[in-house]
Amino acid sequence: MTFALPQIAPLNEAMQAAARERQNNLTKPPGSLGRLEELSVQLAGILEQERPSVTRKAVIVMAGDHGVVAEGVSAYPAEVTPQMVMNFLYGGAAINALAGSAGARVVIVDMGVAADLPDHPQLVKRKVAYGTKNMAVGPAMTREQAEDALLAGIEVVSAEIENGLDLVAIGEMGIGNTTAATALTAVFTGLPIADLTGRGTGVDDAGLARKIQVIENALAVNKPDPNDAMDALMKVGGLEIAGLAGVVLGAAARRVPVVIDGFISSAAALVAAELAPAVKPYLIGSHESVEIGHQAILRRLGVRPLFNLDMRLGEGTGAALAFPIIEGAARVLDEMATFAEAGVAGG
Amino acid sequence: MTFALPQIAPLNEAMQAAARERQNNLTKPPGSLGRLEELSVQLAGILEQERPSVTRKAVIVMAGDHGVVAEGVSAYPAEVTPQMVMNFLYGGAAINALAGSAGARVVIVDMGVAADLPDHPQLVKRKVAYGTKNMAVGPAMTREQAEDALLAGIEVVSAEIENGLDLVAIGEMGIGNTTAATALTAVFTGLPIADLTGRGTGVDDAGLARKIQVIENALAVNKPDPNDAMDALMKVGGLEIAGLAGVVLGAAARRVPVVIDGFISSAAALVAAELAPAVKPYLIGSHESVEIGHQAILRRLGVRPLFNLDMRLGEGTGAALAFPIIEGAARVLDEMATFAEAGVAGG
């Protein structure tokens, strides 16, 4: 491959040990804050701080269209992709409300929307193509397009890191993108397509059967190589998925923790992890989606979600809801008194 | 009974219908925000607002001691109760960090700590007794004490509502209080004590066996009446548990939603619900605790927790972590654009 993957280091074990030691001396029974304690140790190892702070937060939402919608795989028409991008820019979408509530900025990136979008101060224009091609009849992208999209993701998150960033979430918008995410999941896990295919934005039973058939066709036509993540990405992926895989790679390379969202966002993280397994310890799960393929991705990534709120929207909404939990975990480690400091008797 | 329960009205169905209708027109597939949508509808029905706002938040943490610690049921000595109250007041405990992170105020109430506590602007002094009596040999409280504690809880939350309160969480501190919570749960659910008894702050196997035996003795000696919640509360409850049951009653009577925390906090909500079943729709679950009795309480209350983070600390810590999710649910309903407003095509 001509594309050079960034170098990703392991977590800092000394910082993790220091954080764990501090947790065991804080004024609570050891372990009684459960996963908050684990999160704080993970953050310490990623950010290389004994008492990490995660106040500067962003949700990077990437948008792209999918040629496969020609096969009738979605309940919504493709023009909803640019319409929702405009909704993001005007602050009317779920991710605007939830990121705002969590004190996080939202970065909207056009990776491959099949329409020209106006200039807007919050819109990052990295369009690689006007949508992917129809994977049911041939590769969704060229290899060069997939590499360009990955690189764009690395550059977008690098620019955000320059602006100040302790924690990043990845979200997406793209009518048809559960089809691409399902195809990628099937390739990397080897599980039956029917066991991984959900209703996306809400197809009926006939639509679901058609979607499964379309993905089967796409894999039969393209024969993506499960041992070559770039091959799978270009053949059955999406431009926003490739961009988000780049965000994961770029964030991990710069030691910024990445909060993954639902099915599509996690499929992007899976692509990144297949390209560079060293990204895995930089990932933080947020919710478990209604989309049935999500669990298979989380298992393969070794990521345990924090909650299941029966959500299936995407956009980074579940990840934004996890921000306060992750920030709370960091604040516990930083702000709590030790038994000695507080004059409290130990167990 | 001499104690007069406050009147509690059902939720406002018209406001719930209006909120549900609005949810179905927001720019997302209907239902795709899952439990956030349910939460927003519940808040609308409680607060009687089509687009409720829950920015003014408090955690009421009540502390009390338990005579039953004489039986060796806890891994920590009783003096930890007043020590931890001081830690709350100086801002060094987990609940301080997590409430601060959620933008919620913390109200500390001495309901029955077995020590004199200094004056402090954040400490509300409602001490009913210097701890309960040992339930293994007789009733933990007199009926008058239980009623005084309930009334104190109603008054404490009423004062907070006067200060401005859209959402309240209940938390507790009291060495020995998992024993009281387990006894109450056994009385109201009729389930075997051994299936409801956990390790609390961390007793070993011998301590766990002793704890089960102590609770069996307490029920045999006191014979609490499962159909008389006040009888059960006074015989095997706790002063902080009674106070928090009062908070639940007082909040529901004034139409303020109550976020319950873990095992003990939920046992207090159960006492309130046994006294006045109309409180149930005012309750919002937060986490599911490691304490094995917690699930039985949640089932009986008909409350589904939002997450399970392997926590078992109390203090209201799980409830404080739920605040941003609940606030996010309200903000989605209030801030998102409808399909018509945003010019987005429907499905």
Side-chain angles (χ1 to χ4, degrees):
Chain A
M1 135 171 54
T2 56
F3 176 79
L5 284 170
Q7 290 295 311
I8 295 161
L11 302 200
N12 184 317
E13 284 182 22
M15 286 298 170
Q16 291 190 283
R20 204 174 284 115
E21 171 72 13
R22 183 170 164 77
Q23 279 289 5
N24 288 337
N25 285 296
L26 298 176
T27 44
K28 58 180 170 53
S32 60
L33 283 178
R35 299 196 61 197
L36 293 194
E37 299 188 22
E38 293 170 17
L39 276 172
S40 73
V41 170
Q42 183 183 6
L43 293 171
I46 295 173
L47 293 159
E48 300 194 288
Q49 299 166 32
E50 185 182 334
R51 293 157 76 161
S53 163
V54 289
T55 54
R56 299 171 301 175
K57 304 175 291 289
V59 185
I60 298 180
V61 183
M62 295 190 153
D65 273 304
H66 294 263
V68 73
V69 295
E71 305 290 329
V73 291
S74 177
Y76 285 78
E79 63 256 35
V80 166
T81 305
Q83 288 169 350
M84 282 300 298
V85 170
M86 297 311 297
N87 196 23
F88 296 147
L89 296 173
Y90 287 108
I95 189 57
N96 301 102
L98 293 173
S101 190
R105 59 190 195 262
V106 180
V107 180
I108 310 297
V109 186
D110 174 8
M111 287 300 305
V113 178
D116 287 311
L117 294 168
D119 289 333
H120 187 285
Q122 272 186 274
L123 178 63
V124 180
K125 294 188 167 186
R126 298 295 306 235
K127 196 193 294 286
V128 172
Y130 287 83
T132 55
K133 297 216 182 298
N134 183 353
M135 71 169 83
V137 296
M141 294 174 247
T142 64
R143 182 171 283 259
E144 192 183 5
Q145 285 175 328
E147 292 186 0
D148 284 354
L150 275 169
L151 191 61
I154 293 171
E155 290 177 356
V156 166
V157 75
S158 295
E160 288 304 317
I161 292 168
E162 295 302 319
N163 290 339
L165 188 65
D166 304 315
L167 190 60
V168 68
I170 54 173
E172 45 55 50
M173 175 70 218
I175 297 298
N177 66 8
T178 58
T179 298
T182 307
L184 288 167
T185 307
V187 172
F188 293 127
T189 66
L191 294 169
I193 291 164
D195 294 352
L196 300 171
T197 310
R199 293 176 188 274
T201 49
V203 291
D204 58 14
D205 288 350
L208 183 61
R210 188 163 55 240
K211 187 171 169 182
I212 292 168
Q213 186 59 55
V214 165
I215 297 165
E216 283 174 355
N217 293 349
L219 298 197
V221 166
N222 288 295
K223 297 182 181 57
D225 180 354
N227 298 311
D228 178 351
M230 195 62 96
D231 185 68
L233 177 62
M234 64 162 276
K235 286 177 172 169
V236 298
L239 292 160
E240 79 283 42
I241 293 172
L244 291 174
V247 170
V248 172
L249 293 168
R254 297 280 295 267
R255 306 194 78 93
V256 171
V258 179
V259 188
I260 58 177
D261 183 38
F263 185 45
I264 298 120
S265 154
S266 300
L270 181 58
V271 169
E274 298 289 332
L275 286 167
V279 303
K280 289 185 193 176
Y282 290 85
L283 302 176
I284 298 174
S286 59
H287 77 124
E288 180 183 322
S289 168
V290 171
E291 277 288 315
I292 59 171
H294 194 203
Q295 281 187 34
I297 300 181
L298 294 174
R299 263 199 309 275
R300 189 164 172 91
L301 287 172
V303 167
R304 194 174 150 208
L306 292 167
F307 47 81
N308 181 337
L309 298 178
D310 298 338
M311 290 166 60
R312 52 183 173 83
L313 178 57
E315 301 179 4
T317 47
L321 283 170
F323 275 160
I325 295 174
I326 300 162
E327 196 168 352
R331 287 183 64 153
V332 158
L333 180 62
D334 184 42
E335 298 177 14
M336 275 184 75
T338 63
F339 280 101
E341 285 165 357
V344 175
Chain B
M1 127 173 57
T2 56
F3 176 78
L5 285 170
Q7 289 295 310
I8 295 161
L11 302 201
N12 185 319
E13 284 183 21
M15 286 298 169
Q16 291 189 282
R20 204 174 285 117
E21 171 72 12
R22 184 172 162 76
Q23 279 289 5
N24 287 337
N25 285 297
L26 297 176
T27 44
K28 57 179 172 49
S32 61
L33 284 177
R35 298 196 62 195
L36 292 195
E37 300 188 21
E38 292 170 18
L39 277 172
S40 73
V41 170
Q42 183 183 6
L43 293 172
I46 295 173
L47 294 160
E48 301 195 287
Q49 299 166 34
E50 186 181 333
R51 293 157 76 161
S53 162
V54 289
T55 55
R56 298 171 302 175
K57 304 175 291 290
V59 185
I60 297 179
V61 183
M62 294 189 155
D65 273 305
H66 293 262
V68 73
V69 296
E71 305 290 330
V73 291
S74 177
Y76 286 78
E79 63 256 34
V80 167
T81 305
Q83 288 169 348
M84 280 302 296
V85 170
M86 296 311 297
N87 196 24
F88 296 146
L89 296 173
Y90 288 107
I95 190 56
N96 301 102
L98 292 174
S101 190
R105 59 189 194 263
V106 180
V107 180
I108 310 297
V109 186
D110 174 8
M111 287 300 306
V113 178
D116 287 310
L117 295 168
D119 289 333
H120 188 285
Q122 272 187 274
L123 178 63
V124 180
K125 294 189 165 185
R126 297 295 309 235
K127 196 194 295 285
V128 172
Y130 287 84
T132 55
K133 296 217 185 296
N134 183 353
M135 70 168 85
V137 297
M141 293 175 248
T142 64
R143 183 171 282 258
E144 191 182 5
Q145 285 175 328
E147 291 186 359
D148 283 354
L150 275 169
L151 190 62
I154 293 171
E155 290 177 355
V156 166
V157 75
S158 296
E160 289 304 318
I161 292 168
E162 296 301 318
N163 289 339
L165 189 64
D166 305 315
L167 191 59
V168 67
I170 54 174
E172 45 54 51
M173 176 69 218
I175 297 299
N177 66 9
T178 58
T179 298
T182 308
L184 287 168
T185 307
V187 172
F188 294 126
T189 66
L191 294 169
I193 291 164
D195 293 352
L196 300 171
T197 309
R199 292 176 189 274
T201 49
V203 291
D204 58 14
D205 288 349
L208 183 61
R210 187 163 56 240
K211 188 172 170 182
I212 291 168
Q213 186 60 54
V214 166
I215 297 166
E216 282 174 353
N217 294 348
L219 297 196
V221 166
N222 288 295
K223 297 182 182 54
D225 180 354
N227 298 309
D228 178 351
M230 194 63 96
D231 185 68
L233 177 63
M234 63 163 277
K235 286 175 174 172
V236 298
L239 291 160
E240 80 283 42
I241 292 172
L244 291 174
V247 170
V248 173
L249 294 168
R254 298 279 296 268
R255 307 194 76 94
V256 171
V258 180
V259 187
I260 59 178
D261 182 39
F263 185 46
I264 297 119
S265 154
S266 300
L270 182 59
V271 169
E274 298 287 334
L275 286 167
V279 303
K280 289 185 193 175
Y282 290 84
L283 302 175
I284 298 173
S286 59
H287 77 124
E288 180 182 322
S289 167
V290 171
E291 276 288 315
I292 59 170
H294 194 205
Q295 281 187 34
I297 300 182
L298 294 174
R299 262 198 309 276
R300 189 165 173 89
L301 288 173
V303 167
R304 196 173 148 208
L306 291 167
F307 47 82
N308 181 337
L309 297 177
D310 299 338
M311 291 167 59
R312 54 182 171 85
L313 177 56
E315 301 179 5
T317 46
L321 283 171
F323 275 160
I325 295 174
I326 300 163
E327 196 168 353
R331 287 184 64 155
V332 158
L333 180 62
D334 184 42
E335 297 176 15
M336 276 184 76
T338 63
F339 280 101
E341 285 165 359
V344 175

